[in-house]
Amino acid sequence: MAIIHQSPPTPFRRHPLRRLQQYLGFAALYGILAGLAWQTFTVGYVSIALGFALASTASLLGIIVLVIQERRFHIVITCDRFIIDNGYPFCSRRVIERIYIRGHYFPPNPIGHWFDTGTLVIEYGDETIVLDGLTPFSTLRNLLEVS
């Protein structure tokens, strides 16, 4: 009979810099569209300026949606299961019983050591789940190696 390591539920989140490229892309798009809106407004093309202003607002909303999704994502590891909440507006919670997990491993990443982030790959049954950008990764690694 195996003894399951008893530990309190431990939550893990994604590092905020995980989607830095997407944030910068949306910010650049926002800046370009806002500049075009201002330029066309000063020239006198109000309807075109309004279109650029609406497009820049949509790109700003894209940044806000990405930030909210990243903040709502978390995984919780209890003594007998993984609970993965993707953070999307609709219920996307997934519970994985640890009894059925075939294995887990951590791909090496030298930059991840600086920011204490990493990727967790869980294989169970015929399915593989890849969770990237998790932090604090050293705590996650210690928790899974002990249990």
Side-chain angles (χ1 to χ4, degrees), residues 94-112:
R94 185 174 199 174
V95 178
I96 302 170
E97 299 292 332
R98 291 184 72 188
I99 297 168
Y100 300 112
I101 293 175
R102 242 188 2 231
H104 61 273
Y105 60 94
F106 306 98
N109 183 358
I111 295 175

Side-chain angles (χ1 to χ4, degrees), residues 26-88:
F26 272 118
L29 181 64
Y30 171 73
I32 290 169
L33 290 172
L36 285 172
W38 177 256
Q39 198 64 22
T40 55
F41 181 74
T42 57
V43 173
Y45 298 109
V46 177
S47 61
I48 296 173
L50 183 60
F52 283 132
L54 289 174
S56 67
T57 303
S59 66
L60 183 62
L61 289 176
I63 294 172
I64 293 170
V65 166
L66 281 178
V67 169
I68 289 172
Q69 284 180 351
E70 287 298 309
R71 291 299 304 155
R72 290 189 61 192
F73 171 87
H74 66 278
I75 64 171
V76 177
I77 300 173
T78 64
C79 62
D80 60 345
R81 64 180 60 129
F82 282 87
I83 302 170
I84 303 169
D85 190 359
N86 284 329
Y88 296 110

